[in-house]
Amino acid sequence: MGQDITLTASDGFKLGAYRTQPEGKPKGAVVVIQEIFGVNNHIRTICDRFAVQGYVAVAPSIFDRIEPNFQSGYSPEEVAIARKFVANPDWPAMLRDTQAAIDSVKDVGNVGIIGFCLGGSVAFAAATKLTGLSAAIGYYGGAIVRFADDKPTVPTQLHFGEKDHGIPLSDVETIRAKRPDVEIFVYDGAEHGFNCDQRASYNKASADLARERSLGFLAKHLVK
Protein backbone atom coordinates (compact mmCIF):
# COMPACT_ATOMS: atom_id res chain seq x y z
CA MET A 1 0.00 0.00 0.00
CA GLY A 2 2.89 2.34 0.79
CA GLN A 3 6.39 2.91 -0.49
CA ASP A 4 9.92 2.99 0.87
CA ILE A 5 11.43 6.48 0.82
CA THR A 6 14.60 8.21 2.03
CA LEU A 7 14.70 11.00 4.63
CA THR A 8 17.58 13.35 5.43
CA ALA A 9 18.20 14.37 9.03
CA SER A 10 19.58 17.75 10.11
CA ASP A 11 23.11 16.35 10.34
CA GLY A 12 22.94 15.08 6.76
CA PHE A 13 22.37 11.43 7.65
CA LYS A 14 20.07 9.64 5.22
CA LEU A 15 17.65 7.07 6.61
CA GLY A 16 14.93 4.92 5.20
CA ALA A 17 11.23 5.25 5.92
CA TYR A 18 7.91 3.74 4.92
CA ARG A 19 5.20 6.17 3.77
CA THR A 20 1.55 5.63 2.94
CA GLN A 21 -0.86 8.00 1.21
CA PRO A 22 -4.65 8.01 1.63
CA GLU A 23 -7.11 8.30 -1.20
CA GLY A 24 -8.28 11.87 -1.66
CA LYS A 25 -7.25 14.88 0.39
CA PRO A 26 -5.42 13.88 3.62
CA LYS A 27 -6.87 14.83 7.00
CA GLY A 28 -3.33 15.38 8.25
CA ALA A 29 -0.23 13.27 8.83
CA VAL A 30 0.97 10.79 11.44
CA VAL A 31 4.59 9.86 12.17
CA VAL A 32 4.72 6.24 13.37
CA ILE A 33 7.71 5.29 15.54
CA GLN A 34 8.79 1.66 15.62
CA GLU A 35 9.26 -0.81 18.42
CA ILE A 36 12.74 -2.30 18.85
CA PHE A 37 11.88 -4.59 15.92
CA GLY A 38 12.38 -1.99 13.20
CA VAL A 39 9.97 -0.83 10.52
CA ASN A 40 8.67 -4.36 10.13
CA ASN A 41 5.39 -5.75 8.85
CA HIS A 42 3.54 -4.69 12.00
CA ILE A 43 4.65 -1.04 11.78
CA ARG A 44 3.96 -0.96 8.04
CA THR A 45 0.47 -2.33 8.68
CA ILE A 46 -0.15 0.44 11.21
CA CYS A 47 0.85 3.00 8.57
CA ASP A 48 -1.48 1.34 6.05
CA ARG A 49 -4.34 1.54 8.53
CA PHE A 50 -3.75 5.24 9.09
CA ALA A 51 -3.95 5.76 5.33
CA VAL A 52 -7.33 4.01 5.33
CA GLN A 53 -8.39 6.48 8.03
CA GLY A 54 -7.40 9.38 5.76
CA TYR A 55 -3.93 10.24 7.04
CA VAL A 56 -0.54 10.31 5.39
CA ALA A 57 1.66 8.10 7.57
CA VAL A 58 5.44 7.83 7.68
CA ALA A 59 7.57 5.46 9.76
CA PRO A 60 11.27 6.41 9.91
CA SER A 61 13.83 3.64 10.36
CA ILE A 62 15.42 5.01 13.51
CA PHE A 63 17.92 2.12 13.73
CA ASP A 64 19.43 2.88 10.32
CA ARG A 65 22.43 4.55 11.95
CA ILE A 66 23.25 1.19 13.55
CA GLU A 67 22.02 -1.31 10.95
CA PRO A 68 20.24 -0.07 7.81
CA ASN A 69 16.80 -1.55 7.16
CA PHE A 70 16.80 -3.70 10.29
CA GLN A 71 13.54 -5.62 10.61
CA SER A 72 12.69 -8.38 13.04
CA GLY A 73 9.97 -10.74 14.13
CA TYR A 74 9.04 -11.67 17.69
CA SER A 75 10.65 -15.04 18.44
CA PRO A 76 12.76 -15.19 21.63
CA GLU A 77 15.92 -15.25 19.51
CA GLU A 78 14.82 -12.20 17.50
CA VAL A 79 13.82 -10.34 20.65
CA ALA A 80 17.29 -10.95 22.12
CA ILE A 81 18.94 -9.52 18.99
CA ALA A 82 16.60 -6.52 18.85
CA ARG A 83 17.28 -5.62 22.48
CA LYS A 84 20.94 -5.06 21.67
CA PHE A 85 19.93 -1.97 19.67
CA VAL A 86 18.70 -0.23 22.81
CA ALA A 87 21.39 -1.29 25.26
CA ASN A 88 22.70 2.27 25.03
CA PRO A 89 20.18 4.26 22.98
CA ASP A 90 21.28 7.43 21.20
CA TRP A 91 18.25 9.56 22.01
CA PRO A 92 19.47 12.74 20.25
CA ALA A 93 20.09 10.79 17.04
CA MET A 94 16.68 9.10 17.16
CA LEU A 95 15.06 12.49 17.73
CA ARG A 96 16.95 14.01 14.78
CA ASP A 97 15.64 11.20 12.59
CA THR A 98 12.14 11.65 14.01
CA GLN A 99 12.30 15.38 13.25
CA ALA A 100 13.22 14.51 9.65
CA ALA A 101 10.05 12.41 9.43
CA ILE A 102 7.93 15.24 10.87
CA ASP A 103 9.41 17.71 8.43
CA SER A 104 8.75 15.37 5.49
CA VAL A 105 4.98 15.49 6.01
CA LYS A 106 4.37 18.96 7.45
CA ASP A 107 3.19 20.21 4.05
CA VAL A 108 0.22 17.83 4.35
CA GLY A 109 -1.39 19.60 7.29
CA ASN A 110 -1.25 19.10 11.06
CA VAL A 111 1.14 16.35 12.16
CA GLY A 112 0.75 13.87 15.00
CA ILE A 113 3.14 11.24 16.27
CA ILE A 114 2.43 7.78 17.64
CA GLY A 115 4.99 5.31 18.94
CA PHE A 116 5.09 1.83 20.41
CA CYS A 117 7.51 0.32 22.97
CA LEU A 118 10.79 2.20 22.32
CA GLY A 119 8.75 4.36 19.94
CA GLY A 120 6.37 5.27 22.74
CA SER A 121 9.27 6.81 24.63
CA VAL A 122 10.50 8.54 21.47
CA ALA A 123 7.01 9.95 20.85
CA PHE A 124 6.87 11.40 24.36
CA ALA A 125 10.36 12.89 24.01
CA ALA A 126 9.34 14.32 20.64
CA ALA A 127 6.36 16.01 22.26
CA THR A 128 8.72 17.79 24.66
CA LYS A 129 11.66 18.58 22.37
CA LEU A 130 10.72 18.63 18.67
CA THR A 131 8.85 21.10 16.47
CA GLY A 132 6.01 20.76 14.00
CA LEU A 133 3.72 18.49 16.01
CA SER A 134 0.08 19.01 16.98
CA ALA A 135 -0.43 15.84 19.06
CA ALA A 136 1.54 12.90 20.48
CA ILE A 137 0.58 9.37 21.52
CA GLY A 138 2.79 6.81 23.25
CA TYR A 139 2.12 3.13 23.84
CA TYR A 140 4.00 1.36 26.67
CA GLY A 141 7.15 3.44 26.50
CA GLY A 142 9.46 2.21 29.24
CA ALA A 143 11.67 5.32 29.32
CA ILE A 144 8.82 7.81 29.65
CA VAL A 145 9.15 7.77 33.43
CA ARG A 146 12.73 9.05 33.04
CA PHE A 147 11.52 11.95 30.89
CA ALA A 148 8.42 12.77 32.96
CA ASP A 149 9.82 16.04 34.32
CA ASP A 150 9.78 17.40 30.75
CA LYS A 151 6.54 19.11 29.77
CA PRO A 152 5.02 18.26 26.38
CA THR A 153 4.33 21.27 24.18
CA VAL A 154 1.41 19.52 22.44
CA PRO A 155 -1.56 17.46 23.68
CA THR A 156 -0.24 14.03 24.68
CA GLN A 157 -1.91 10.69 25.33
CA LEU A 158 -0.27 7.57 26.84
CA HIS A 159 -1.33 3.92 26.95
CA PHE A 160 0.00 1.25 29.34
CA GLY A 161 -0.78 -2.38 30.13
CA GLU A 162 -1.64 -3.30 33.72
CA LYS A 163 0.41 -6.52 33.49
CA ASP A 164 3.44 -5.03 31.69
CA HIS A 165 6.41 -6.69 33.42
CA GLY A 166 8.79 -4.04 32.10
CA ILE A 167 6.77 -1.01 33.19
CA PRO A 168 5.49 -1.30 36.78
CA LEU A 169 2.32 0.52 37.68
CA SER A 170 4.40 2.59 40.10
CA ASP A 171 6.13 4.09 37.05
CA VAL A 172 2.77 4.91 35.51
CA GLU A 173 1.67 6.59 38.73
CA THR A 174 4.90 8.60 38.81
CA ILE A 175 4.20 9.82 35.28
CA ARG A 176 0.60 10.59 36.20
CA ALA A 177 1.70 12.61 39.25
CA LYS A 178 4.37 14.55 37.35
CA ARG A 179 2.32 15.07 34.20
CA PRO A 180 -1.29 15.84 35.11
CA ASP A 181 -1.46 17.57 31.72
CA VAL A 182 -1.13 14.21 29.93
CA GLU A 183 -4.02 11.83 29.23
CA ILE A 184 -3.09 8.37 30.57
CA PHE A 185 -4.92 5.06 30.16
CA VAL A 186 -4.11 1.71 31.79
CA TYR A 187 -5.62 -1.47 30.31
CA ASP A 188 -6.70 -4.19 32.74
CA GLY A 189 -4.93 -7.48 32.16
CA ALA A 190 -2.92 -6.16 29.21
CA GLU A 191 0.78 -6.95 28.89
CA HIS A 192 3.63 -5.19 27.10
CA GLY A 193 3.01 -5.11 23.36
CA PHE A 194 -0.74 -5.59 23.74
CA ASN A 195 -1.42 -3.61 20.57
CA CYS A 196 0.60 -5.90 18.27
CA ASP A 197 -1.49 -8.67 16.74
CA GLN A 198 1.69 -10.53 15.80
CA ARG A 199 2.84 -10.98 19.39
CA ALA A 200 1.75 -13.51 21.99
CA SER A 201 0.89 -10.59 24.30
CA TYR A 202 -1.73 -9.23 21.88
CA ASN A 203 -4.91 -8.26 23.70
CA LYS A 204 -7.64 -7.52 21.17
CA ALA A 205 -10.06 -5.82 23.55
CA SER A 206 -7.38 -3.49 24.88
CA ALA A 207 -5.93 -2.86 21.42
CA ASP A 208 -9.34 -2.01 19.98
CA LEU A 209 -10.15 0.39 22.80
CA ALA A 210 -6.71 2.04 22.63
CA ARG A 211 -7.03 2.40 18.84
CA GLU A 212 -10.46 4.03 19.23
CA ARG A 213 -9.07 6.47 21.78
CA SER A 214 -6.01 7.19 19.64
CA LEU A 215 -8.02 7.87 16.50
CA GLY A 216 -10.36 10.14 18.42
CA PHE A 217 -7.42 12.02 19.89
CA LEU A 218 -5.79 12.51 16.52
CA ALA A 219 -9.05 13.61 14.91
CA LYS A 220 -9.57 16.17 17.68
CA HIS A 221 -6.11 17.70 17.38
CA LEU A 222 -5.15 17.21 13.72
CA VAL A 223 -8.27 17.56 11.62
CA LYS A 224 -9.13 21.14 10.75
Side-chain angles (χ1 to χ4, degrees):
M1 185 171 183
Q3 61 179 333
D4 292 318
I5 63 170
T6 300
L7 304 174
T8 302
S10 59
D11 59 357
F13 180 78
K14 294 187 182 300
L15 64 145
Y18 178 73
R19 175 170 171 154
T20 54
Q21 191 83 17
E23 293 184 6
K25 181 178 172 57
K27 296 177 180 177
V30 182
V31 175
V32 180
I33 306 296
Q34 64 183 62
E35 302 170 299
I36 62 173
F37 308 103
V39 181
N40 61 2
N41 178 261
H42 170 56
I43 296 300
R44 290 166 183 262
T45 298
I46 288 174
C47 290
D48 294 345
R49 289 172 179 165
F50 275 122
V52 171
Q53 294 292 327
Y55 297 96
V56 170
V58 60
S61 297
I62 61 171
F63 286 172
D64 270 9
R65 293 174 186 264
I66 306 169
E67 182 179 324
N69 197 35
F70 172 77
Q71 297 182 45
S72 171
Y74 302 95
S75 69
E77 295 78 15
E78 288 172 309
V79 170
I81 292 171
R83 280 182 175 156
K84 295 177 182 177
F85 286 90
V86 289
N88 185 26
D90 188 340
W91 294 102
M94 290 190 290
L95 289 173
R96 285 196 298 273
D97 296 344
T98 299
Q99 185 69 63
I102 296 168
D103 292 343
S104 76
V105 292
K106 63 185 180 182
D107 61 324
V108 169
N110 289 334
V111 182
I113 188 169
I114 187 168
F116 305 86
C117 182
L118 167 70
S121 300
V122 172
F124 182 84
T128 69
K129 299 181 183 305
L130 301 186
T131 61
L133 291 172
S134 295
I137 302 172
Y139 280 64
Y140 32 82
I144 294 174
V145 68
R146 290 162 43 196
F147 305 149
D149 287 327
D150 297 336
K151 180 179 175 60
T153 62
V154 296
T156 301
Q157 183 183 79
L158 301 177
H159 304 268
F160 296 98
E162 178 202 16
K163 301 295 185 182
D164 190 325
H165 297 299
I167 306 175
L169 289 178
S170 58
D171 280 5
V172 179
E173 291 312 308
T174 296
I175 298 165
R176 199 188 296 276
K178 290 186 174 184
R179 294 266 58 91
D181 49 325
V182 171
E183 193 171 86
I184 297 175
F185 298 102
V186 177
Y187 296 84
D188 292 344
E191 300 177 39
H192 190 79
F194 70 80
N195 181 70
C196 178
D197 57 9
Q198 300 177 27
R199 299 177 72 166
S201 57
Y202 176 58
N203 183 312
K204 185 178 187 303
S206 297
D208 287 350
L209 179 54
R211 187 177 303 115
E212 179 183 332
R213 286 168 169 165
S214 297
L215 289 172
F217 191 76
L218 291 172
K220 177 180 178 181
H221 297 293
L222 299 191
V223 181
K224 296 177 180 178

